[in-house]
Amino acid sequence: MVPLILGLIVFLGIHSVRIVAPEWRNRQLKTLGEGPWKGIYSLVSLAGLVLLIWGYGRAWEVAPILYEPPVWMKHTAALLMLVSFVSLMVFIFPAGRLKPMLKHPFLLAVQIWAVAHLLANGDLASVILFGAFLAWAVIDRIAVEQRREVTALPGPVKWDALAVVSGAALYILFIWRLHLWLIGVPPLA
């Protein structure tokens, strides 16, 4: 569990700098410049991500089971993942009607992803991993709201249609092969 927890601390920690130390972050941006700051940020993020993936892979195999989700929760998780992929695509594409309505579609996608995986996985490693991401996404969403960041203005509905279609396509690819290939576990097992 130690590599998983360290990876979460590093990965979510660097992604929380803007939340917990915005003045320090701004000073670093001024001192280092945007390019070097983004480079350091990216390297720390990558190191944390590699550590948490490796740690989760090791911990997941031996983690105690805290709860065994009933089948309906796994089906609910599968449906939630479709919504998460669509929300992710709403974030990626230019604003249609959905982006301003969702306000922060990336954070929403992370929250839905985490909840879905908590519904489907009852082992301690999964609860730590997905619970940490859920907590981070909720805290970050609150911080973004407090900063009163401007959300996107409504745009053409075509971007919503593309987000829904591409989100559904990515979802189908994950169900079909990508989840097994990337994660090593079939999503609907």
Side-chain angles (χ1 to χ4, degrees), residues 86-99:
V86 169
S87 185
L88 177 63
M89 290 305 174
V90 167
F91 167 74
I92 290 171
F93 284 109
R97 300 289 187 249
L98 290 173
K99 190 174 276 193

Side-chain angles (χ1 to χ4, degrees), residues 15 18-19 107 135-145 147:
H15 283 84
R18 192 168 183 184
I19 300 168
L107 292 173
W136 171 82
V138 168
I139 291 166
D140 196 21
R141 189 174 181 112
I142 291 167
V144 169
E145 292 290 332
R147 286 193 304 263

